[in-house]
Amino acid sequence: MLNRRNFLTAAIGVAATGALAACAKEDKGSTGTSSSGGSKAITLGFSQVGSESGWRSANTDSVKAAAKEAGYNLKFSDAQQKQENQISAIRSYIAQKVDVIAFSPVVVTGWDAVLKEAKAAKIPVVLTDRSVETSDESLYVTLVGSDFTEEGRRAGKILEKVLAKAGVKGPVKIAQLEGTTGAAPAIERAKGFKEVMDADHKDDWKIVVSQTGDFTRAGGKQVMAAFLTSNPDINVLFAHNDDMAIGAIQSIEAAGKKPGKDILIVSIDGVKDGFVAMSEGKINAIVECNPLLGPQLMEVVKTVHDGGSVERWIKTKEGDFMQDQAKAALPSRKY
């Protein structure tokens, strides 16, 4: 039995400057010859959200490299951040009778129909990076990804340290750059951050403006420019990922302000360009979200293909995770 770490990868180390430090075009992909010995290679259909950020590119590279290392036949598709493209790709994988389907959902809702089709075809489905909301939790086997709510909480707690280090006292006016509307990380990171605000900073922190930048650098730049026009007295930016923060930095500088000083910045991910900006003092702190999920995903794929049980971490109504066993999702199939 594999442990929790293999299935709910809460890679949420905290990094910051100074005293705060820590660490749908379809591609047939690589064709493996064997996953073990002389047996037939596992065929994995994988649908990626898109290529909207540095984090996503690293995640894609990790999946492709791990599939090649495992000797799997990988069928890869890029949804270009459109749910309809992703649903089409999953249906294509069902028609091709792949052994396992994995995907990182563009948004949380709207998956029941296609997941029921996969279940009817007796093809197990593994979620990666992001969660979904379904009417039937047995429609997917497990989730390999991060606890985004905890990442939001950590962003709130690290902001406390950033403010203390900067000597900021009195009211804090926060701009929030949200991720893609309806996506799990956008919903949950905002939720976790607000939990910290509501619990400890009702009187001194206020989100004065919040809007999606769609997890992209261009989106962060455009939306931050609008924020600065409507709310020129913002003194903190919470960005749901590094790419939006980097885009926002361009707009902050264009407005004649100093990112990291005039406007303190906390973001989430930990991509290379984010750390470069942090080393330059333009981002004050980053909550890490590790994109290198490929090896863990391949381990899960092999386990479900071979008919083994996996630990399943599903959300309660309160948004927390609870443990379950997930072999019963497709009881009639020897995966």
Side-chain angles (χ1 to χ4, degrees), residues 14-16 20 151-163 174-177 193 205 235-242 244-246 249 260 263-269 278 282-288:
V14 178
L20 309 176
E151 290 174 354
R153 294 186 191 110
R154 297 236 178 162
K157 299 306 288 186
I158 200 69
L159 177 58
E160 294 175 335
K161 297 180 181 180
V162 168
L163 291 167
I174 302 170
Q176 180 173 228
L177 276 170
F193 188 82
W205 290 14
N235 57 356
V236 168
L237 170 64
F238 169 42
H240 287 189
N241 79 341
D242 290 347
M244 290 190 296
I246 292 165
I249 286 169
I263 298 179
L264 304 175
I265 300 175
V266 172
S267 66
I268 298 174
D269 268 358
M278 192 167 63
K282 295 180 179 182
I283 293 179
N284 302 87
I286 297 173
V287 177
E288 183 189 8

Side-chain angles (χ1 to χ4, degrees), residues 4-9 44-49 55-56 59 63 83 86-87 90 93 100-112 114-116 118-119 123-148 183-185 188 290-301 304 310-315 321 326 329-330:
R4 172 176 180 169
R5 182 181 174 190
N6 296 104
F7 298 95
L8 181 63
T9 307
L44 170 64
F46 181 81
S47 177
Q48 181 61 282
V49 170
W55 191 99
R56 189 63 53 192
N59 180 245
V63 169
Q83 185 178 33
Q86 203 155 46
I87 290 172
I90 294 170
Y93 296 149
V100 181
I101 292 171
F103 75 109
S104 181
V106 176
V107 293
V108 170
T109 60
W111 302 103
D112 279 27
V114 72
L115 291 179
K116 287 176 181 177
K119 183 173 182 179
I123 300 175
V125 175
V126 177
L127 303 180
T128 69
D129 176 38
R130 301 177 176 185
S131 61
V132 299
E133 292 177 2
T134 68
S135 60
D136 179 359
E137 295 287 354
S138 74
L139 294 178
Y140 66 92
V141 178
T142 194
L143 163 68
V144 181
S146 299
D147 185 338
F148 299 128
E188 294 163 23
N290 196 325
L292 306 181
L293 302 177
Q296 295 172 348
L297 174 60
M298 300 312 146
E299 185 178 357
V300 173
V301 167
V304 299
V310 297
E311 288 184 0
R312 174 185 177 87
W313 295 86
I314 59 175
K315 289 183 186 175
F321 283 86
L330 296 169

Side-chain angles (χ1 to χ4, degrees), residues 50-244:
S51 53
E52 75 283 359
S53 64
W55 191 99
R56 189 63 53 192
S57 297
N59 180 245
T60 292
D61 290 346
S62 176
V63 169
K64 288 183 174 180
K68 184 176 181 180
E69 176 69 21
Y72 295 173
N73 177 19
L74 177 67
K75 296 181 181 293
F76 180 89
S77 66
D78 180 341
Q80 300 175 339
Q81 291 185 277
K82 295 180 180 178
Q83 185 178 33
E84 59 267 29
N85 291 345
Q86 203 155 46
I87 290 172
S88 177
I90 294 170
R91 285 182 170 142
S92 173
Y93 296 149
I94 294 170
Q96 295 175 62
K97 299 180 180 179
V98 302
D99 296 307
V100 181
I101 292 171
F103 75 109
S104 181
V106 176
V107 293
V108 170
T109 60
W111 302 103
D112 279 27
V114 72
L115 291 179
K116 287 176 181 177
E117 291 170 25
K119 183 173 182 179
K122 299 182 180 179
I123 300 175
V125 175
V126 177
L127 303 180
T128 69
D129 176 38
R130 301 177 176 185
S131 61
V132 299
E133 292 177 2
T134 68
S135 60
D136 179 359
E137 295 287 354
S138 74
L139 294 178
Y140 66 92
V141 178
T142 194
L143 163 68
V144 181
S146 299
D147 185 338
F148 299 128
T149 303
E150 179 60 21
E151 290 174 354
R153 294 186 191 110
R154 297 236 178 162
K157 299 306 288 186
I158 200 69
L159 177 58
E160 294 175 335
K161 297 180 181 180
V162 168
L163 291 167
K165 179 176 171 58
V168 174
K169 297 179 181 179
V172 175
K173 295 184 178 181
I174 302 170
Q176 180 173 228
L177 276 170
E178 305 168 20
T180 303
T181 302
I187 295 168
E188 294 163 23
R189 286 170 181 169
K191 175 188 173 185
F193 188 82
K194 190 174 185 299
E195 284 180 7
V196 173
M197 284 185 55
D198 290 347
D200 303 321
H201 299 283
K202 281 186 177 180
D203 298 327
D204 56 333
W205 290 14
K206 183 179 180 181
I207 295 177
V208 296
V209 63
S210 183
Q211 186 176 324
T212 179
D214 211 25
F215 282 128
T216 67
R217 205 166 292 196
K221 180 180 180 180
Q222 180 180 359
V223 175
M224 191 65 195
F227 284 173
L228 290 168
T229 299
S230 62
N231 294 271
D233 55 350
I234 292 166
N235 57 356
V236 168
L237 170 64
F238 169 42
H240 287 189
N241 79 341
D242 290 347
D243 279 80
M244 290 190 296

